[in-house]
Amino acid sequence: MPSRRMVGRIVLSALIVAAGVAIATHRAWLPPAYDPTRPLDLGGPRTFMTPVKLRVLSSDQTMCRAALATSALRLRSVPVGGTAACPVTDGTRVDGGPAPTVPAGFLASCRLAVRWSMFQTDVAEPAARAVFGMGLRGIRQAGSFACRDIRDRPGAISSHATADAIDVSAFVLDDGREIPVSAWHAAPHGPDPRIVFLHRVRDGACAIFGVVLSPDYNGLHAGHLHLQATGFGLCD
């Protein structure tokens, strides 16, 4: 009769074999949206694995490019961009999308372009429909790439210098109305839907970007939202 130790070893070996088989064949039974080894599908459902996939593609250019290929953005590859002091290799020119930027087009890293795609479809457009009953005609941007330091921290390179951030100054509704970020602290006589919308957008962006800075952060951001692909967990 086998001893308890031997039975334990047999059970452990069986579990290891079963785990190995499950890992080796996981693509046969695990839906792609839940599989961390498959690229994020920007047109597919969001799951609890979506943040994991975002973190993976941030450091894996192959996974990032595969995800970006599924977006609704109009894109042009920029193999060499930026400046001599701040080169951007394997960047992307975002020329349009569901809510085109005004001015049109900006240089982005792959990880920023992926998050920008999600920001439009998952955050900005749904927020506009929920608050104003209509979609967005465009998003006014105040710049992405800029070879500079962080404005209040001389010597610290800005995420703009690597095309990993974009500043948004306003949202243009389908009826032409413009919702400026500067309306963040507006104090009308009654509830202001602009404030509701802007806060929804900021809060939703925090689930996608590594760093989101709003007018709540400091005076330097009084007129725009800073949306940054890099970093982790700073939302203000």
Side-chain angles (χ1 to χ4, degrees):
M1 184 174 180
S3 65
R4 284 188 178 180
R5 180 174 296 180
M6 183 177 294
V7 171
R9 287 177 178 174
I10 292 172
V11 171
L12 179 60
S13 297
L15 289 174
I16 291 173
V17 170
V21 170
I23 292 171
T25 63
H26 74 279
R27 289 200 171 186
W29 55 268
L30 187 62
Y34 294 88
D35 184 350
T37 69
R38 295 195 186 190
L40 176 63
D41 181 357
L42 293 171
R46 306 294 183 242
T47 71
F48 65 86
M49 287 302 300
T50 300
V52 175
K53 288 174 180 271
L54 277 174
R55 297 301 295 180
V56 169
L57 66 81
S58 287
S59 57
D60 187 322
Q61 195 70 0
T62 300
M63 293 284 275
C64 190
R65 285 290 168 187
L68 197 55
T70 67
S71 87
L73 299 176
R74 293 201 307 274
L75 307 166
R76 282 186 291 147
S77 177
V78 183
V80 179
T83 64
C86 301
V88 176
T89 58
D90 203 16
T92 294
R93 176 88 179 171
V94 180
D95 287 326
T101 56
V102 183
F106 63 91
L107 179 65
S109 65
C110 179
R111 56 196 169 199
L112 176 61
V114 166
R115 287 166 172 79
W116 181 253
S117 179
M118 292 179 65
F119 175 69
Q120 290 192 35
T121 59
D122 297 15
V123 177
E125 182 75 15
R129 293 194 178 280
V131 177
F132 299 106
M134 67 185 73
L136 291 175
R137 179 185 297 180
I139 299 175
R140 192 171 294 281
Q141 53 104 353
S144 60
F145 174 78
C147 187
R148 62 173 175 81
D149 292 343
I150 298 174
R151 295 196 188 282
D152 57 349
R153 292 172 56 191
I157 297 175
S158 169
S159 55
H160 287 283
T162 54
D164 278 315
I166 184 170
D167 293 337
V168 171
S169 60
F171 300 84
V172 184
L173 299 174
D174 279 340
D175 65 1
R177 280 182 292 166
E178 193 158 311
I179 313 300
V181 175
S182 59
W184 188 270
H185 293 301
H189 296 295
D192 190 335
R194 298 176 303 168
I195 297 176
V196 175
F197 168 75
L198 291 171
H199 281 74
R200 282 197 184 198
V201 166
R202 190 274 308 273
D203 295 347
C206 290
I208 296 173
F209 293 92
V211 173
V212 176
L213 304 179
S214 74
D216 280 345
Y217 184 63
N218 62 19
L220 292 174
H221 297 83
H224 70 272
L225 298 175
H226 172 88
L227 308 177
Q228 182 177 320
T230 53
F232 183 72
L234 178 54
C235 173
D236 198 353

